[in-house]
């Protein structure tokens, strides 16, 4: 352990001196600070969001008119596959990770996550997984079998694309599994005094559920991906019916992961919205326990609905009935959440800055995605809708109208905490309205297209099908979304140029992160707050009189205001914080090289393994306690 | 493709069309939507047989229930946004801190559960209904999914055709679906989709097959076609007409180009069609361009994959299809190449023969470097195969 005051590093017997940069490039490469890692996750995932967005625009250009050949089938298949992989694994999951990393320790009153170097390792493996997967464009072709990678097509495809897919996603899976364990341990063990489980903010609860979903679902896709890799690289027959394998095995494994994955993507956004709606309604979350328990219920039931992706496989009426009913059941806790968000706004004192607009946008769009989801539980009706654009519409209403709107809500809400500046309100409102219109123009018509007979993943369609008009509308909508993203980017650039406002609590917040300075000091809190209630920060500011009115607590009245200045009190001296380290990035670099080795050369495998082992040994032998403080 | 056949039955389906329009109108812009619907050919909202109608009859009530819930939830959201917004002139006090209400929680757990249970009952009965094999007289057809075209084998009639599935109206058609790979057809008895496993289709037939999905929305829901598995699907058409279908499961390069059509005839017309298909191929008049085309066909590479009933190879053996469509009555079909091109369009045929991959990327039919003269002769021959 080092301290915030300059550590006397380099005297112990580590392989390398511990890095000491606190600013600049090396401070970011070697950081183990959950806040810096959160920002790294956010920036990286947003960069991938722009790339995945460009892929979406290419798809929409190709489909804007019938019989187009702007993208050939082979390129189109690569583009839609990479769009899906990117948005799921390299955008929404890491964007959620950005929020969880940055906020969870602050919200539970901890100084960092349980395993800070492991946290850095997760980030670097994720980054390398993304770069690895994208490098396939230059090394013989990108994955082209869909994000769902159905065997045997993925096995039989002669290009290397799906091998990159298997290894890239295995790496991303390592990153997520490691971080799932890390964050679950953090939430369970590192809460501030008095922060019982049922005083945790809903965002922390949803994060916890997500970490368990990750820890239990990622091993399943790991099995599937290893089998795919073996089939492709070493000629095994896991999915080959002639040799006794089974193509449907892939589907079971993939969707047994894939459906919990949907909730991995949406629950963090639900948590974000559950934080924002109360603040801008100036009321506590309606039915806190019900929102928490419905989140947990969704997590459990989410493991029991995977066959609703496979009704047409031919598993028989009994399987289809069972999974149809479980899919119906999962709608109930989802509905409970929506009604509780409505209840939160009921009789509130509502204001509508950008975070609130995006949160309300989330609720209203998610309702549409949820309702179209219920139609998927009506199995015979889904016999028609499956694998059509109706499904594309449905999950974009959930993952864009839901997750992306929720994540933008979070970005606007916590921006002043992370960067010490509020994003511009006018640009934020323009962003919201343009994105809302563009989103509905893009994905609304896809419901109609699907029912009118447009299957998914087709490179083009004949004019005779009568799909031209709505496809054109959808393409126009996609470019409208692109404009709104440019507005957001402009907002970010303009805001960075402003001087910092350093408002600790700009929104009259309810949770612990608003008690510390903006941005928070490296050690988060000078004094770890003692928690007495749910919405602790609110209760330090307001009290209820005997006749039930809520009045502000006089300044200094509660004696708990001192944390509001991060650099007050001890000024951070003497607080133990983990020191930066080179080893997480070294170890993850080893995995990166190893990945290429599995495709190109056993020598690269050996090299990667050596780098990985060197990184892990250095990591293990790194002095964790300063000699002067031991 | 096939606009002519579709006009039949337009009046009878008028009410269905209206309902279709009503739904689309609600989803989008009514005028434009209905304009689009009337041109659609592959429309799940336009069921033309009892099996498609079962799916549709569940979708419609569920759709309206969903609309109702949508209106209630979005209405409440809008109401709260307007009613409880902070207004000028109102004291900006902190509102009462309401933490929840157990009765409300129970209500909005139980009520949706009841609605969903109501929806679940017809869902389950329809699932079992659709899984039941129809009793009485049926037509049996084996459907073989290739990369990237459909082959239809009528075991009891001795007919093999491609891209177009012809059926009689008013009679359930039981389809047995299997996915076949390139090795398919090398067996002495081609075109059989034996029920299995464990017997299964012959190993070579599925060795390099991928998953496809059979979908002709106006006649039935989707059924995946999976290597090593033999699935069944029942379709039925009420009225004569041409119903568009398409492969729905991503199956590689030319997935988008794997279309087909179901052509429903009156029982009399269907019987005539069967008689024509059972006959040997028409022999061209000697000395015509078509006869030159036939010679090219027999002496070139075509017979490596394609069969034409009634012709013999140089050794006097009948032709055996080996991965390519049976061409015996090629010109009796409206479309070819995954129903992407028209058989009566000589230009499209010539383009296909010249460079198949320019139409369907990855097509297993090679470019044999035929000269324009050879292509003209082959086109003439193929178009003579009625």
């Amino acid at each position: 352990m080092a301290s915030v005051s300059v550590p006397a590093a380099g005297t112990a017997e580590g392989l390398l001196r511990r890095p000491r940069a606190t600013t600049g490039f090396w401070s970011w490469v070697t950081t183990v600070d959950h806040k810096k890692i959160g920002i790294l996750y956010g920036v990286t995932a947003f960069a991938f969001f722009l790339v995945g967005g460009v892929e979406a625009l290419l798809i929409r250009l190709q489909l804007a008119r019938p019989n187009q050949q702007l993208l050939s089938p082979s390129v189109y298949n690569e583009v839609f596959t990479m769009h899906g992989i990117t948005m799921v694994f390299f955008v929404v999951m890491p964007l959620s990770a950005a929020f969880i990393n940055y906020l969870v320790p602050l919200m539970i009153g901890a100084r960092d996550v349980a395993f800070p170097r492991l946290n850095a390792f997760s980030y670097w493996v994720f980054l390398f997984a993304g770069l690895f997967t994208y490098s396939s464009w230059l090394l013989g072709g990108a994955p082209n079998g869909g994000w769902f990678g159905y065997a045997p097509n993925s096995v039989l495809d002669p290009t290397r694309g799906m091998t990159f897919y298997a290894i890239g996603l295995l790496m991303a899976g390592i990153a997520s599994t490691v971080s799932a364990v890390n964050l679950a341990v953090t939430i369970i063990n590192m809460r501030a005094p008095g922060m019982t489980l049922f005083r945790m903010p809903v965002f922390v609860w949803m994060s916890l559920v997500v970490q368990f979903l990750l820890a239990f679902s990622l091993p399943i896709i790991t099995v599937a991906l290893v089998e795919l890799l073996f089939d492709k690289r070493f000629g095994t027959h896991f999915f080959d019916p002639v040799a006794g394998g089974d193509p449907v095995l892939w589907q079971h494994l993939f969707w047994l992961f894939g459906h919990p994955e949907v909730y991995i993507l949406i629950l963090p956004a639900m948590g974000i919205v559950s934080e924002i709606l109360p603040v801008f309604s100036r009321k506590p979350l309606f039915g806190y326990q019900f929102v928490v328990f419905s989140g947990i219920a969704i997590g459990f039931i989410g493991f029991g609905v995977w066959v609703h992706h496979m009704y047409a496989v031919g598993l028989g009426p009994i399987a289809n009935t069972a999974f149809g009913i479980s899919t119906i059941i999962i709608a109930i806790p989802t509905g409970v959440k929506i009604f509780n968000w409505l209840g939160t706004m009921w009789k509130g004192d509502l204001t509508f800055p950008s975070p609130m607009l995006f949160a309300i946008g989330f609720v209203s769009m998610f309702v549409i995605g949820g309702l179209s989801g219920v139609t998927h539980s009506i199995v015979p009706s889904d016999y028609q809708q499956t694998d059509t654009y109706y499904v594309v519409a449905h999950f974009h209403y959930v993952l864009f109208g839901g997750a992306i709107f929720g994540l933008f809500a979070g970005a606007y809400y916590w921006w002043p905490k992370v960067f010490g500046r509020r994003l511009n309100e006018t640009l934020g409102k323009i962003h919201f309205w343009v994105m809302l219109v563009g989103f509905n123009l893009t994905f609304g018509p896809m419901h109609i297209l699907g029912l009118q007979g447009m299957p998914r993943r087709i490179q083009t369609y004949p004019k005779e099908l009568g799909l031209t008009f709505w496809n054109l509308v959808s393409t126009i909508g996609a470019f409208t979304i692109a404009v709104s993203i440019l507005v957001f980017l402009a907002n970010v650039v303009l805001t960075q140029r402003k001087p910092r406002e350093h408002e600790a609590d700009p929104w009259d917040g309810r949770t612990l992160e608003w008690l510390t300075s903006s941005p928070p000091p490296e050690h988060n809190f000078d004094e770890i707050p003692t928690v007495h209630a749910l919405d602790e920060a609110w209760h330090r500011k307001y009290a209820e009189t005997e006749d039930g009115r809520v009045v502000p607590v006089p300044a200094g009245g509660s004696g708990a205001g001192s944390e509001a200045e991060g650099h007050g009190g001890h000024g951070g001296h003497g607080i133990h914080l983990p020191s930066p380290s080179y080893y997480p990035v070294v170890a993850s670099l080893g995995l990166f090289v190893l990945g290429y080795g599995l495709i190109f050369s056993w020598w690269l495998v050996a090299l990667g393994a050596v780098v990985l082992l060197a990184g892990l040994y250095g990591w293990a032998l790194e002095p964790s306690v300063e000699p002067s403080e031991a | 493709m096939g606009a002519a056949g579709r006009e039949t039955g337009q009046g009878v389906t008028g009410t269905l069309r209206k309902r279709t329009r009503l739904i689309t109108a609600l989803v989008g812009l009514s005028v434009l939507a209905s304009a689009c619907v009337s041109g659609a050919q592959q429309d799940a909202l336009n069921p033309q047989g009892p099996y498609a109608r079962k799916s549709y009859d569940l979708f419609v009530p569920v759709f309206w229930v969903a609309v109702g819930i949508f209106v209630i939830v979005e209405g409440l959201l809008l109401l709260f946004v307007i009613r409880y917004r902070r207004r000028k002139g109102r004291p900006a006090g902190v509102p009462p801190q309401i933490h929840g209400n157990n009765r409300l929680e129970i209500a909005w757990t139980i009520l949706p559960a009841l609605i969903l249970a109501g929806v679940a009952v017809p869902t389950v009965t329809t699932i079992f209904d659709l899984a039941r094999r129809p009793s009485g007289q049926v037509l049996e057809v084996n459907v073989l999914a290739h990369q990237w075209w459909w082959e239809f084998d009528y075991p009891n009639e001795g007919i093999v055709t491609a891209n177009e599935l012809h059926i009689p109206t008013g009679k359930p058609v039981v389809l047995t679906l299997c996915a076949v790979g390139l090795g398919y057809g090398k067996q002495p008895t081609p075109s059989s989709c034996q029920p299995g496993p464990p017997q299964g289709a012959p190993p070579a037939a599925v060795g390099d097959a991928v998953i496809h999905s059979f979908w002709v929305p106006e006649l039935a829901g989707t059924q995946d076609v999976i290597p090593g598995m033999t699935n069944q699907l029942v379709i039925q058409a009420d009225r004569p007409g041409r119903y568009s279908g398409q492969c729905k499961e991503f199956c590689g390069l030319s997935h988008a180009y794997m279309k087909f059509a179901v052509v429903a005839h009156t029982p009399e017309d269907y019987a005539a069609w069967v008689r024509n298909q059972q006959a040997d191929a028409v022999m061209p008049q000697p000395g015509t361009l078509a006869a030159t085309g036939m010679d090219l066909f027999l002496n070139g590479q075509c017979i490596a994959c394609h069969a034409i009933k009634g012709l013999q190879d140089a050794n006097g053996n009948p032709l055996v299809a080996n991965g390519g469509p049976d061409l015996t009555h090629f010109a009796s079909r409206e479309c070819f190449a995954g129903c992407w091109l028209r058989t009566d369009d000589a230009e499209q045929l010539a383009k296909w023969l010249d460079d198949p991959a320019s139409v369907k990327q990855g097509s297993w039919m090679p470019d044999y470097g035929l000269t324009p003269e050879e292509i003209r002769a082959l086109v003439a021959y193929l178009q003579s195969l009625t």
Side-chain angles (χ1 to χ4, degrees):
Chain A
M1 298 290 253
S3 83
V4 172
S5 50
V6 180
T11 47
E13 64 277 28
L15 287 180
L16 291 168
R17 280 201 325 180
R18 289 200 84 135
R20 280 186 283 184
T22 51
T23 55
F25 177 75
W26 284 105
S27 76
W28 289 94
V29 175
T30 61
T31 188
V32 295
D33 177 356
H34 73 97
K35 297 181 291 300
K36 278 190 158 173
I37 292 171
I39 293 170
L40 284 172
Y41 262 116
V43 170
T44 312
F46 194 78
F48 277 118
F49 179 62
L50 298 179
V51 176
V54 169
E55 287 158 354
L57 294 179
L58 287 173
I59 293 173
R60 284 316 321 163
L61 276 178
Q62 165 62 21
L63 295 176
R65 289 185 309 158
N67 290 314
Q68 284 219 111
Q69 295 298 336
L70 195 74
L71 305 179
S72 71
S74 61
V75 175
Y76 182 83
N77 292 348
E78 291 175 320
V79 170
F80 86 73
T81 301
M82 287 302 280
H83 170 72
I85 295 172
T86 304
M87 289 305 190
V88 170
F89 293 100
F90 303 129
V91 177
V92 178
M93 280 173 83
L95 269 183
S96 304
F99 283 94
I100 295 172
N101 254 292
Y102 196 101
L103 292 167
V104 158
L106 287 167
M107 286 179 143
I108 62 174
R111 299 218 186 275
D112 206 315
V113 295
F115 308 108
R117 286 181 296 177
L118 215 48
N119 201 22
F121 177 76
S122 293
Y123 166 72
W124 292 109
V125 175
F126 145 68
L127 172 68
F128 287 136
L131 295 177
F132 178 87
T133 310
Y134 264 88
S135 70
S136 61
W137 287 107
L138 307 171
L139 297 169
N144 57 2
W147 89 284
F148 61 108
Y150 271 18
N153 182 55
S154 53
V155 178
L156 293 171
D157 184 85
T159 71
R160 285 197 198 106
M162 295 310 281
T163 316
F164 270 96
Y165 161 92
I167 301 171
L169 295 195
L170 279 170
M171 287 169 69
I174 292 172
S176 298
T177 310
V178 165
S179 106
V181 173
N182 196 353
L183 291 164
V185 171
T186 303
I187 295 171
I188 292 167
N189 286 334
M190 300 187 65
R191 281 166 285 130
M195 172 142 311
T196 59
L197 285 177
F198 280 93
R199 286 179 191 162
M200 293 198 314
V202 172
F203 178 72
V204 178
W205 260 115
M206 292 306 111
S207 301
L208 182 62
V209 173
V210 165
Q211 305 320 315
F212 278 104
L213 288 179
L214 283 166
F216 286 106
S217 69
L218 283 167
I220 304 167
I221 193 170
T222 303
V223 170
L225 291 169
V226 168
E227 291 181 349
L228 174 62
L229 182 61
F230 270 61
D231 267 16
K232 274 197 89 75
R233 283 292 283 122
F234 311 122
T236 53
H237 301 284
F238 288 104
F239 308 117
D240 176 1
V242 176
D246 184 359
V248 182
L249 172 65
W250 168 270
Q251 299 189 20
H252 282 295
L253 292 173
F254 185 83
W255 291 119
L256 190 42
F257 150 81
H259 206 84
E261 170 71 13
V262 172
Y263 298 104
I264 289 167
L265 299 173
I266 192 69
L267 284 175
M270 288 178 160
I272 288 171
V273 168
S274 302
E275 298 303 325
I276 291 174
L277 288 175
V279 167
F280 299 103
S281 305
R282 303 194 89 197
K283 274 180 62 205
L285 184 69
F286 199 88
Y288 167 87
Q289 290 91 335
F290 292 91
V291 175
V292 168
F293 274 112
S294 60
I296 296 171
I298 288 171
F300 274 106
I301 309 167
F303 277 97
V305 297
W306 79 93
V307 168
H308 73 212
H309 299 264
M310 302 166 59
Y311 289 144
V313 165
L315 300 178
I318 293 174
N320 284 358
T321 299
F323 284 88
I325 289 174
S326 65
T327 304
I328 284 180
I329 290 172
I330 206 165
I332 295 168
T334 313
V336 167
K337 275 189 180 313
I338 290 167
F339 287 120
N340 277 299
W341 291 325
L342 288 177
T344 305
M345 292 166 69
W346 174 60
K347 288 195 174 178
D349 174 32
L350 272 57
T351 50
F352 304 101
S354 307
M356 183 65 161
L357 286 179
F358 277 97
I360 294 173
F362 168 99
V363 175
S364 63
M365 293 301 105
F366 183 77
V367 166
I368 300 174
L371 287 171
S372 63
V374 172
T375 62
H376 295 146
S377 67
I378 314 304
V379 181
S381 158
D382 188 71
Y383 287 156
Q384 294 284 15
Q385 295 139 20
T386 183
D387 273 325
T388 68
Y389 263 77
Y390 185 89
V391 178
V392 180
H394 157 70
F395 69 74
H396 280 95
Y397 267 86
V398 175
L399 294 183
F400 194 128
I404 296 288
F405 271 77
L407 291 165
F408 270 121
Y412 280 93
Y413 180 60
W414 281 297
W415 205 273
K417 177 52 63 185
V418 177
F419 298 105
R421 308 169 177 93
R422 288 193 209 204
L423 284 166
N424 180 291
E425 262 306 310
T426 313
L427 287 175
K429 289 194 167 93
I430 293 173
H431 172 197
F432 170 75
W433 287 109
V434 175
M435 194 163 99
L436 186 75
V437 170
F439 167 76
N440 282 293
L441 274 182
T442 310
F443 299 109
M446 287 185 186
H447 292 106
I448 304 171
L449 285 171
L451 294 169
Q452 284 182 349
M454 183 165 172
R456 290 173 75 175
R457 302 159 186 141
I458 53 169
Q459 173 247 359
T460 190
Y461 50 93
K463 192 169 80 238
E464 292 81 0
L465 287 186
L467 304 170
T468 312
F469 174 76
W470 288 118
N471 267 304
L472 184 63
V473 171
S474 177
T475 301
I476 292 167
F479 280 87
T480 313
I481 296 175
V483 169
S484 77
I485 301 300
L486 292 178
V487 173
F488 174 73
L489 279 172
N491 197 348
V492 170
V493 172
L494 291 176
T495 304
Q496 280 313 106
R497 289 187 179 167
K498 284 194 310 183
R500 284 188 169 171
E501 296 143 357
H502 289 300
E503 294 169 286
D505 184 14
W507 312 113
D508 200 7
R510 309 179 75 93
T511 38
L512 289 187
E513 75 273 24
W514 304 110
L515 292 180
T516 190
S517 62
S518 300
E522 195 188 349
H523 52 282
N524 289 354
F525 300 95
D526 287 344
E527 202 174 303
I528 296 295
T530 302
V531 178
H532 307 92
L534 178 66
D535 290 341
E536 176 71 17
W538 173 270
H539 287 287
R540 292 188 184 198
K541 292 181 285 193
Y542 297 92
E544 267 183 55
T545 58
E546 273 170 25
D547 55 344
R549 284 186 311 118
V550 181
V551 292
V553 175
S558 72
S562 63
E563 278 103 348
E565 292 105 41
H567 295 287
H570 316 267
H573 290 284
I575 294 172
H576 293 277
L577 280 180
S579 299
S581 172
Y582 293 112
Y583 295 110
V585 70
V586 171
S588 48
L589 198 61
L591 272 180
F592 187 50
V593 175
L594 217 154
Y596 285 107
L598 284 172
I599 295 179
F600 294 105
S601 157
W602 289 106
W603 292 108
L604 272 179
V605 172
L607 176 66
V610 167
V611 174
L612 175 64
L613 279 174
L616 294 180
Y617 268 93
W619 185 329
L621 297 175
E622 199 168 31
S624 60
V625 179
E626 292 300 323
S628 58
E629 294 171 11
Chain B
M1 265 169 273
R6 294 302 306 285
E7 262 114 58
T8 28
Q10 205 65 249
V12 194
T13 55
T15 41
L16 283 172
R17 288 257 173 207
K18 267 180 210 156
R19 286 166 81 184
T20 307
R21 282 185 192 163
L22 214 55
I23 290 169
T24 20
L26 248 148
V27 183
L29 302 159
S30 63
V31 181
L32 292 162
S34 47
C36 285
V37 167
S38 62
Q41 299 244 326
Q42 200 165 281
D43 192 345
L45 299 179
N46 180 32
Q48 292 294 315
Y51 296 94
R53 204 166 293 118
K54 278 180 184 152
S55 290
Y56 178 78
D57 287 346
L58 267 180
F59 175 77
V60 172
V62 172
F63 174 81
W64 287 112
V65 170
V67 166
I69 296 170
F70 171 82
V71 169
I72 292 170
V73 173
E74 305 283 358
L76 280 175
L77 190 65
L78 204 62
L79 178 76
F80 292 171
V81 163
I82 294 166
R83 172 84 176 74
Y84 300 114
R85 73 187 192 281
R86 186 180 293 171
R87 269 168 287 197
K88 287 195 189 95
R90 203 178 70 176
V94 180
Q97 301 291 291
I98 305 162
H99 286 273
N101 180 317
N102 287 350
R103 268 190 215 167
L104 271 175
E105 299 286 350
I106 291 166
W108 61 49
T109 308
I110 302 274
L111 269 179
L114 288 177
I115 294 172
L116 288 167
V119 170
V121 173
T123 298
V124 174
T125 55
T126 313
I127 292 173
F128 282 90
D129 217 15
L130 284 171
R132 206 170 295 126
R133 199 187 150 91
S135 51
Q137 275 231 314
V138 300
L139 170 65
E140 302 220 32
V141 182
N142 297 323
V143 176
L144 294 90
H146 296 255
Q147 264 177 329
W148 292 270
W149 59 282
W150 298 90
E151 184 169 24
F152 302 104
D153 163 42
Y154 298 64
N156 301 323
E157 286 79 6
I159 296 170
V160 179
T161 180
N163 298 313
E164 281 183 1
L165 169 61
H166 291 254
I167 60 168
T169 54
K171 189 179 195 176
V173 182
V174 178
L175 305 175
T176 304
L177 307 109
C178 59
V180 291
L182 265 189
Y184 174 76
K186 286 174 185 146
Q187 275 61 44
T189 49
S191 303
S192 58
C193 191
Q194 300 293 338
Q199 305 96 322
V206 292
D208 41 14
V210 303
I211 299 174
H212 302 274
S213 195
F214 183 93
W215 187 44
V216 48
E218 296 178 356
L219 301 183
T222 315
Q223 180 60 61
D224 288 353
V225 189
I226 294 174
M229 231 174 126
T230 309
N231 279 323
Q232 291 206 322
L233 177 73
V234 189
I235 65 171
Q236 185 176 333
D238 293 336
R239 277 168 293 275
R242 197 177 167 88
Y243 306 96
S244 183
Q246 189 158 5
C247 174
K248 224 181 185 186
E249 189 60 87
F250 180 70
C251 55
L253 268 184
S254 277
H255 165 57
Y257 298 82
M258 193 172 163
K259 292 174 58 57
F260 65 96
V262 175
V263 185
H265 305 275
T266 59
E268 299 76 40
D269 289 353
Y270 175 74
W273 178 84
V274 168
R275 278 194 301 280
N276 181 53
Q277 297 291 313
Q278 284 170 333
D280 282 353
V282 181
M283 295 300 279
Q285 294 292 321
T288 57
L289 190 60
T292 317
M294 185 176 79
D295 287 342
L296 278 167
F297 187 90
L298 281 171
N299 299 314
Q301 297 292 327
C302 309
I303 57 171
C305 300
H306 295 286
I308 291 183
K309 209 161 36 173
L311 296 188
Q312 285 98 35
D313 64 13
N315 305 322
N317 298 320
L319 304 183
V320 177
N322 181 17
D326 184 299
L327 301 175
T328 310
H329 297 283
F330 177 79
S332 75
R333 315 197 278 254
E334 251 183 57
C335 61
F336 72 105
C339 257
W340 204 259
L341 301 179
R342 296 186 60 91
T343 54
D344 61 4
D345 187 330
E347 235 172 82
Q348 293 187 354
L349 250 172
K351 189 183 175 199
W352 173 256
L353 291 172
D354 185 41
D355 183 8
S358 72
V359 178
K360 272 164 72 176
Q361 201 183 1
S363 167
W364 297 106
M365 174 154 154
D367 172 3
Y368 283 110
L370 299 165
T371 65
E373 291 73 43
E374 290 172 327
I375 289 175
R376 245 198 329 275
L378 281 168
V379 168
Y381 176 54
L382 288 170
Q383 292 196 321
S384 76
L385 294 171
T386 50

